[in-house]
Amino acid sequence: MNGRQTSSTNPFSDWDSPDNIDNMSTQIAANVLAGALFGAALTASAVYVPAVITSQMYLQDFHMLTVFLVASASSAFVVWALNTSGRTSFGPRSPSTISLFSTYDANIIGGLLLGAGMTISGACPGTVLSQVATGIPSGFFTLIGAIFGGILWTGYGFRLKSQPSSAPAKAASSRPPTIQSYFKLSTTQALVTYEGICLVIVLLITTLNPRTSIPPTVPVIGGLLIGATQASSLHLTANPLGTSSAFEEVGHWFWYAWHSLTGSDQVKSTPGKPSTRSMTFVFGVVVGSWVFAQLSTEHLSAASTLDERSSISALSAFVGGCIMIFGSRLAGGCTSGHGISGIATMGVASFVSVASMFAGGIGLAACLG
């Protein structure tokens, strides 16, 4: 379930800075630990199983939506509590635009691509890491496709995004709109309303869509655990949850190495070597997923039984992985970056991206039959 905000806003870091050298070990350890907790929560929720994601997009099962809503609602409470207490000042994400038809056009198009990629691959930028860690066959090919998508984005795709030119677009970028500002609510009122909506939907799903192979408590508890890791991520790294920016960092490293080997002048113009902050976080996700799977073999066995329902080819996994990363970077975040972190701030751009993600995934599933 992108984008850690630090990577997209500052893709390069000054590795030769004494302060960075002194703090590097601490930062890496904090990122890995935060990622490990997130990875364990993802695995505990069983949302990483390809059949869970594809069944959601085909509207055959609502396990994924339950996990998402519980995780998003609990994360929203965490962010509200930390911001209200003054411990953090985590704000909403700015709209993403390509200046085509709306201030949010990149959020819409990117979200549609992200959802389509999820339907094709049975993964999202976060769950693919858990798939690799737990040995799901399609996960490896999805990961390769995701890396390729990151390379495409950093080499060419980023040029699609443009700076806002109109006065309303500039205002939205400098002061990102929120649900509370749009409906003239207080932050607390917006939070309570969102929590209530999520609660009602989860209760309806639990009542009308009973599960057979996984107990109904699994997605609820898993979602709560994912939401709780928002607190650990903000505390340990001062960054919200998100994974797709790690693939952008991989792309930056690819092109940095390429330009270095070819003697390109572009290396001289960069402010330093690419950042690795999100990469260390997703490494932790893999570690945490693997450790949880080893400690809970019964849980892994149930997830494996579920996965037998999916039949994702290597080509589909690769193509889906590439599309979902390209889309998530165009939208400025993925299921975790927008869905768990962005919506937690009641940011309009995140709601638009997530709605487009589900529309893209469910729409493609309807077309495929």
Side-chain angles (χ1 to χ4, degrees):
M1 285 182 158
N2 185 189
R4 292 174 74 72
Q5 289 183 316
T6 52
S7 176
S8 56
T9 56
N10 182 24
F12 295 92
S13 58
D14 184 3
W15 279 37
D16 297 324
S17 165
D19 289 338
N20 276 355
I21 293 174
D22 291 341
N23 295 330
M24 187 177 297
S25 296
T26 302
Q27 291 175 351
I28 290 175
N31 282 333
V32 171
L33 178 57
L37 293 173
F38 182 53
L42 280 178
T43 309
S45 71
V47 74
Y48 69 96
V49 180
V52 168
I53 295 175
T54 55
S55 294
Q56 175 63 65
M57 296 308 186
Y58 281 91
L59 301 180
Q60 298 169 343
D61 187 90
F62 293 83
H63 182 120
M64 173 188 160
L65 182 59
T66 303
V67 173
F68 174 81
L69 289 174
V70 175
S72 180
S74 54
S75 173
F77 176 79
V78 166
V79 170
W80 171 83
L82 292 177
N83 281 351
T84 301
S85 66
R87 294 178 181 272
T88 62
S89 57
F90 174 39
R93 295 180 177 228
S94 298
S96 292
T97 183
I98 54 176
S99 299
L100 188 61
F101 59 85
S102 166
T103 303
Y104 301 95
D105 51 8
N107 293 106
I108 295 170
I109 297 172
L112 291 170
L113 290 173
L114 169 60
M118 290 171 64
T119 296
I120 296 170
S121 66
C124 74
T127 60
V128 64
L129 304 167
S130 298
Q131 291 178 6
V132 171
T134 56
I136 291 178
S138 62
F140 174 77
F141 298 102
T142 305
L143 179 64
I144 298 302
I147 291 173
F148 187 67
I151 292 172
L152 281 180
W153 172 257
T154 52
Y156 309 99
F158 74 95
R159 296 185 177 91
L160 293 171
K161 296 181 78 168
S162 57
Q163 294 296 322
S165 55
S166 65
K170 288 180 179 179
S173 179
S174 61
R175 190 174 181 181
T178 60
I179 295 298
Q180 55 264 41
S181 64
Y182 187 83
F183 289 103
K184 302 188 185 311
L185 301 171
S186 68
T187 301
T188 301
Q189 288 173 329
L191 172 72
V192 171
T193 302
Y194 182 65
E195 299 286 325
I197 292 172
C198 289
L199 177 60
V200 170
I201 296 175
V202 169
L203 288 176
L204 287 173
I205 291 173
T206 304
T207 303
L208 302 177
N209 186 238
R211 344 225 91 63
T212 54
S213 45
I214 293 184
T217 54
V218 170
V220 174
I221 294 174
L224 288 171
L225 291 173
I226 292 172
T229 61
Q230 183 71 268
S232 61
S233 181
L234 289 170
H235 175 71
L236 292 168
T237 72
N239 289 304
L241 294 172
T243 54
S244 68
S245 59
F247 296 97
E248 182 177 342
E249 286 183 354
V250 172
H252 281 304
W253 272 102
F254 173 86
W255 292 113
Y256 180 84
W258 175 264
H259 294 314
S260 297
L261 290 173
T262 57
S264 171
D265 290 337
Q266 284 189 257
V267 175
K268 300 176 183 178
S269 64
T270 57
K273 293 179 181 178
S275 172
T276 58
R277 290 176 180 174
S278 292
M279 290 168 61
T280 54
F281 177 83
V282 299
F283 173 75
V285 174
V286 175
V287 172
S289 297
W290 183 84
V291 170
F292 182 88
Q294 300 309 305
L295 295 176
S296 182
T297 54
E298 182 178 343
H299 179 93
L300 186 62
S301 176
S304 299
T305 301
L306 259 183
D307 188 48
E308 292 174 0
R309 303 197 325 234
S310 64
S311 56
I312 298 172
S313 67
L315 179 59
S316 294
F318 177 86
V319 172
C322 180
I323 292 173
M324 73 178 181
I325 291 301
F326 194 94
S328 64
R329 298 322 301 150
L330 180 61
C334 64
T335 42
S336 53
H338 272 310
I340 299 176
S341 297
I343 284 182
T345 65
M346 301 291 121
V348 173
S350 294
F351 278 97
V352 170
S353 297
V354 171
S356 299
M357 177 195 77
F358 278 107
I362 294 171
L364 178 61
C367 292
L368 296 175

